[in-house]
Amino acid sequence: MPKKERKRLQVVISEEQDALLTRTAYELSSPERLISKSEVVRLAIEKIARELGEGEHLDEYRSLLESEDVADEQG
């Protein structure tokens, strides 16, 4: 069975954000299954999209995006 085609996205993250990804992947992993940082990112995307679709946490996400820690550095 062929692999799913996936789009690649490159983003620049801070060392603190990378550490959060690493810690989250470690916490979600088990002896039977290691979770990658990419899987954590995909999980976060799904979770945020689901919550926004249900109208949850809009203001919270907007305020997070306005903070310097999360804002796009290209902006």
Side-chain angles (χ1 to χ4, degrees):
M1 192 159 153
K3 284 188 171 186
K4 285 186 195 176
E5 281 192 38
R6 295 185 183 218
K7 293 188 178 226
R8 288 198 166 290
L9 173 67
Q10 291 185 336
V11 296
V12 177
I13 60 174
S14 69
E15 286 185 28
E16 182 181 341
Q17 291 166 331
D18 185 57
L20 286 171
L21 271 176
T22 301
R23 187 179 78 215
T24 303
Y26 177 79
E27 289 176 3
L28 289 172
S29 293
S30 68
E32 299 81 30
R33 177 135 165 21
L34 293 177
I35 303 298
S36 70
K37 291 191 284 187
S38 294
E39 289 174 297
V40 172
V41 171
R42 288 191 292 270
L43 175 64
I45 291 167
E46 291 290 330
K47 181 175 175 23
I48 291 168
R50 218 174 299 119
E51 288 177 355
L52 291 178
E54 296 168 2
E56 295 180 29
H57 308 287
L58 287 171
D59 291 332
E60 182 182 340
Y61 285 128
R62 286 180 181 139
S63 66
L64 283 170
L65 288 169
E66 290 172 3
S67 77
E68 291 179 22
D69 293 337
V70 180
D72 186 356
E73 292 180 11
Q74 295 177 0

